Amino acid sequence: MGEQPSSADTPLWEVVELDQFHTPEQTQASQWRRSLRSASKWLVGKSAAEQQVKEESELRALPEVRLAHLVPPIDWSFAAKALAQQLESCEAPVIFFITPPHSGHTSVVRQWAEEHHVACLPPPTLNELAKGGTEWVERCINQQKWAVPALERHFLRHTQGIQGIREFLERALSGRLGQGVIGCDSWAYAYLQQVIGIDGAPVFTLQSMEGEQLSRYFAAMATHEGQPPGVYSTRTGKQVLSDSASKQNGKAPNKELQRLAAHCRGHIGLAWHYWRERLREPKAEDEEALWLVDALAEAELSADTGDIATLVLHALLLHGGLDDHALGDVLPFSHHEALNARLALQRKGIILSCEGRWQITPLSYASVRQLLASRNYLVDPL
Amino acid sequence: MEEQQKYARLFNDIDSQTLITLGVVLLATIVLIIVSQRGLNWIGNRMHGQVRFRIFALVPMTRLLILMTALAIIVPTIIEPSLRNMVTVMGALGLAIGFAMKDYVSSLIAGVVSAVELPYRPGDWVQIEDTYGEVKHVGLRTVDIQTPDDDLVYVPHLKLWDHAVYNANNGGTSLQCVASFYLHPEHEAGWVRKALRDVALTSAYLKFDKPIIVVAEEKPWGTHYRIRAYPVDPRQQFLFITDLTLRGKKVLSAAGVQSAMLPPDAALDTRNAVGSASSRGND
């Protein structure tokens, strides 16, 4: 899973086996840059502002309507088709499809299941998980073909909470449940691999995107007729999106998006959030160009983040998000302490609530992952 | 008269310029040692993982290098560096050390050895005789160990010569923890072993790239189980053991597994054995 050079001919949506996944060019450099920025913030007190061609004060956020027009939600159907192609030649009883948080494994597996008329198995309730019962596994036995869009909803990290999923995966991997496709968060997959041992089952993921592919994707997303809108970097003043002319001339894509690709480890779901959050328009009415403000200035964790906060973040990632009650159940301290730590992280903008579950925000994910890796916590393979 | 001249030649002429040079070298040595020690400790304390231990390992080595450089400047400034002079000075020093400062100098020499052999470095969890704790500072004469009760114990380096040093993590981040469970002999051993392994696997502190081992040992009063596993950070060892113990007890208790109870006569025997051992210690 090392870095490999990009190619302009590479398809945007490519589903590959896990061991063929590679991070984009400059991923290591991006991590060093983030460490350096964190160190300078720690020493100086705040990060030194980079010189900007266009001042952020001259710009304003885009109205929601225009933003929805320029950056519509990701259409995961292309990824679902790519997954279907891979599955055609696969005979294993269980196939895993994993992606990091905010990167679409649930949507992809759900769309694949809808297109192929395969039933999605409902997750157990929190109460069932807390009791350690396996009744929900019994409900899965009458299917020949099935799909689980989000396996991270099927366990909790305590002695009772892993009994059901152990039973389920033992039956599924032995073929007793028929054939299934399991969508799983990459962090939950890493944890279950250690706890239950799911080696041997084929694992697929979305191949990372390089800057050139991001440029093509964002341009296509924003283009409704003719040329894509002009988007310029406030850092360099250069155009960010590649148009058809520059593609024909073989002109190198702007480095800004390669930087973004490296920062997001090539995951389109995360890059999409950055793109959406960082697009600006000029305050002056006579200008039409759009600007991309410093794409990587996200909510960052300080290097001296305490153990409790670190454990909360790790628990949230392993479970693909948790509500307050479940969070207290999987942490080795009181519900009150867990709640305090969660509130502090929420105030800093590191986590947010999504459908009642606390999750790491897409713009904080890169720094949280780096922090956990630097402290020897179990991290995902992507 | 001739004898006086001989001794006069042992030392160089100490004029005001030499005194100023010596003062500057001494001052610079002290400042450099303080800055390097505090600076490296400050940085190390803000780091995590292997980097933390690498920075801490530099602390005694840096001080040793600074001291050796200072000595290399000071000694030739005071003494004419001939073989005869050096033998004379060493002889005099050896006599003084042999009579008055044997242990002190022995600790200093052991301090140099500890900086080279690294039996302990800041951040390590060590046991020397009855003292267990985290090495906070490796000084010239002593190693400062902070115990879990927050006492700072200054152990002279000379213990290196004749006492074993138990280093639990040896400059790394892996430190094995042991949580013990004492169970009644009547229980399903296979189930207990699996349940205790699950307790470790679901701990938030667990380091996954190290093995988890559940050891069972039969005793006259029941079965002694130990979970051997590693926390993510050595500083989490007591929290980790507490987490394993509490959750282990909860799981075993929910399954109706009883704790071992010593029969009254065995308890009395044990108390007597402890009493006689402590009285022997007092003798």
Side-chain angles (χ1 to χ4, degrees):
Chain A
M1 280 180 276
E3 292 183 19
Q4 279 183 11
S6 66
S7 161
D9 303 326
T10 318
L12 286 179
W13 303 99
E14 194 184 359
V15 171
V16 294
E17 285 190 37
L18 180 59
D19 54 6
Q20 287 172 0
F21 174 85
H22 56 78
T23 50
E25 282 181 81
Q26 300 171 15
T27 301
Q28 192 59 45
S30 175
Q31 286 178 358
W32 282 109
R33 199 182 299 123
R34 201 155 47 234
S35 300
L36 192 67
R37 199 169 54 225
S38 177
S40 69
K41 191 176 173 185
W42 170 51
L43 288 169
V44 183
K46 61 176 183 179
S47 49
E50 281 188 65
Q51 196 158 6
Q52 304 283 313
V53 173
K54 183 86 169 172
E55 288 302 319
E56 210 171 326
S57 57
E58 298 169 35
L59 305 168
R60 66 182 174 199
L62 269 73
E64 271 301 320
V65 178
R66 193 167 181 214
L67 204 55
H69 191 68
L70 288 170
V71 194
I74 296 174
D75 179 3
W76 294 108
S77 62
F78 299 106
K81 280 180 189 139
L83 176 65
Q85 279 178 356
Q86 282 285 3
L87 296 185
E88 277 170 12
S89 56
C90 225
E91 290 298 317
V94 176
I95 289 142
F96 285 89
F97 177 70
I98 65 169
T99 65
H102 310 289
S103 298
H105 62 273
T106 310
S107 306
V108 172
V109 172
R110 195 165 277 147
Q111 289 200 19
W112 172 86
E114 273 174 22
E115 280 170 23
H116 293 81
H117 311 292
V118 173
C120 286
L121 303 180
T125 63
L126 203 59
N127 199 27
E128 283 177 308
L129 288 176
K131 282 182 183 166
T134 54
E135 295 83 12
W136 64 269
V137 182
E138 304 299 332
R139 293 200 294 268
C140 308
I141 55 174
N142 296 323
Q143 314 281 346
Q144 277 300 310
K145 281 199 160 190
W146 49 269
V148 171
L151 190 67
E152 62 274 15
R153 300 277 177 272
H154 292 65
F155 75 96
L156 280 179
R157 187 187 57 189
H158 57 60
T159 46
Q160 298 301 310
I162 59 167
Q163 301 308 326
I165 198 166
R166 181 177 277 156
E167 179 72 27
F168 172 70
L169 286 175
E170 275 173 12
R171 289 189 193 189
L173 290 167
S174 65
R176 281 183 282 159
L177 293 181
Q179 261 198 324
V181 175
I182 298 179
C184 186
D185 186 283
S186 53
W187 288 76
Y189 174 79
Y191 179 67
L192 293 173
Q193 204 180 19
Q194 297 286 339
V195 173
I196 296 171
I198 43 181
D199 294 324
V203 188
F204 294 98
T205 186
L206 276 176
Q207 185 57 284
S208 65
M209 287 198 191
E210 298 285 347
E212 181 275 329
Q213 289 164 294
L214 285 184
S215 172
R216 269 195 283 154
Y217 179 72
F218 291 140
M221 192 184 252
T223 308
H224 297 282
E225 47 189 46
Q227 290 290 311
V231 180
Y232 298 88
S233 162
T234 57
R235 214 167 55 86
T236 59
K238 290 180 182 170
Q239 187 149 5
V240 175
L241 292 183
S242 55
D243 51 20
S244 52
S246 65
K247 264 186 276 181
Q248 280 166 6
N249 296 340
K251 206 171 150 186
N254 191 282
K255 284 181 182 170
E256 194 71 20
L257 286 181
Q258 187 58 42
R259 200 164 165 250
L260 177 62
H263 182 77
C264 300
R265 301 177 65 83
H267 301 306
I268 179 66
L270 294 171
W272 178 85
H273 280 281
Y274 276 91
W275 183 252
R276 189 179 154 82
E277 291 291 322
R278 299 290 166 187
L279 267 189
R280 298 282 186 276
E281 64 180 7
K283 283 179 180 169
E285 297 292 332
D286 52 337
E287 292 179 48
E288 281 194 0
L290 296 173
W291 292 85
L292 183 71
V293 294
D294 187 5
L296 311 183
E298 76 274 46
E300 279 191 20
L301 281 167
S302 59
D304 56 354
T305 301
D307 267 358
I308 293 184
T310 313
L311 290 169
V312 169
L313 292 169
H314 196 229
L316 290 179
L317 281 170
L318 293 187
H319 294 89
L322 287 169
D323 61 25
D324 278 328
H325 182 73
L327 187 60
D329 285 347
V330 300
L331 287 171
F333 31 82
S334 69
H335 283 245
H336 176 71
E337 282 175 294
L339 187 66
N340 273 344
R342 195 270 289 158
L343 281 169
L345 290 168
Q346 186 193 352
R347 277 194 294 273
K348 287 179 191 164
I350 307 290
I351 60 173
L352 55 76
S353 178
C354 181
E355 296 170 1
R357 287 169 172 262
W358 294 100
Q359 293 186 325
I360 313 295
T361 58
L363 273 59
S364 303
Y365 174 74
S367 64
V368 171
R369 188 186 189 280
Q370 193 166 345
L371 177 95
L372 291 171
S374 72
R375 296 197 184 179
N376 298 321
Y377 283 88
L378 179 72
V379 293
D380 74 333
L382 302 175
Chain B
M1 193 65 187
E2 199 178 318
E3 283 294 305
Q4 266 185 337
Q5 276 178 347
K6 267 186 194 172
Y7 287 117
R9 262 185 272 131
L10 181 65
F11 294 101
N12 287 333
D13 291 333
I14 309 282
D15 54 13
S16 58
Q17 195 171 349
T18 313
L19 281 174
I20 291 168
T21 309
L22 287 173
V24 168
V25 171
L26 278 174
L27 193 69
T29 306
I30 292 166
V31 169
L32 272 176
I33 286 176
I34 291 172
V35 169
S36 66
Q37 308 296 283
R38 291 199 176 170
L40 288 170
N41 276 317
W42 188 77
I43 295 170
N45 278 323
R46 279 157 184 79
M47 293 290 163
H48 295 266
Q50 199 60 43
V51 184
R52 180 169 184 264
F53 292 98
R54 286 192 184 143
I55 290 173
F56 279 144
L58 290 174
V59 174
M61 191 56 83
T62 312
R63 188 183 50 232
L64 185 64
L65 282 175
I66 294 170
L67 278 174
M68 284 173 69
T69 312
L71 278 175
I73 298 169
I74 289 170
V75 170
T77 312
I78 300 174
I79 300 164
E80 180 66 35
S82 66
L83 179 66
R84 193 175 63 177
N85 286 351
M86 295 313 285
V87 169
T88 311
V89 170
M90 292 296 177
L93 271 176
L95 209 61
I97 289 164
F99 279 107
M101 301 166 73
K102 181 170 70 69
D103 286 350
Y104 192 90
V105 174
S106 178
S107 279
L108 291 181
I109 293 166
V112 174
V113 172
S114 78
V116 177
E117 288 186 1
L118 297 175
Y120 38 67
R121 66 220 94 177
D124 281 358
W125 286 81
V126 298
Q127 177 156 3
I128 303 173
E129 290 189 299
D130 293 334
T131 307
Y132 177 71
E134 184 182 8
V135 174
K136 300 305 280 187
H137 179 67
V138 180
L140 270 179
R141 191 184 68 81
T142 59
V143 50
D144 307 355
I145 298 174
Q146 189 167 32
T147 68
D149 295 332
D150 204 25
D151 294 325
L152 199 59
V153 182
Y154 301 91
V155 180
H157 289 303
L158 65 86
K159 297 276 180 196
L160 270 183
W161 302 139
D162 53 4
H163 286 86
V165 177
Y166 296 89
N167 195 325
N169 57 318
N170 198 26
T173 55
S174 299
L175 183 147
Q176 191 184 74
C177 291
V178 182
S180 287
F181 299 88
Y182 305 94
L183 303 184
H184 190 275
E186 294 299 316
H187 63 263
E188 176 56 53
W191 181 89
V192 169
R193 189 180 176 202
K194 185 172 157 290
L196 291 179
R197 188 176 156 73
D198 279 354
V199 166
L201 279 170
T202 50
S203 175
Y205 299 109
L206 181 72
K207 186 175 191 176
F208 278 95
D209 52 6
K210 286 283 175 181
I212 299 167
I213 299 166
V214 178
V215 182
E217 191 181 357
E218 200 60 17
K219 298 277 186 184
W221 40 261
T223 314
H224 180 195
Y225 285 89
R226 294 186 193 90
I227 306 177
R228 295 183 182 276
Y230 295 77
V232 169
D233 190 306
R235 285 173 292 182
Q236 296 170 339
Q237 59 183 294
F238 301 108
L239 293 170
F240 183 47
I241 293 170
T242 307
D243 181 49
L244 294 178
T245 307
L246 296 188
R247 290 188 311 108
K249 274 175 80 88
K250 193 176 169 186
V251 169
L252 295 171
S253 157
V257 179
Q258 290 181 330
S259 295
M261 300 289 277
L262 284 177
D265 53 338
L268 277 172
D269 286 350
T270 312
R271 207 176 303 151
N272 289 339
V274 171
S276 60
S278 62
S279 64
R280 272 201 304 275
N282 291 338
D283 292 344

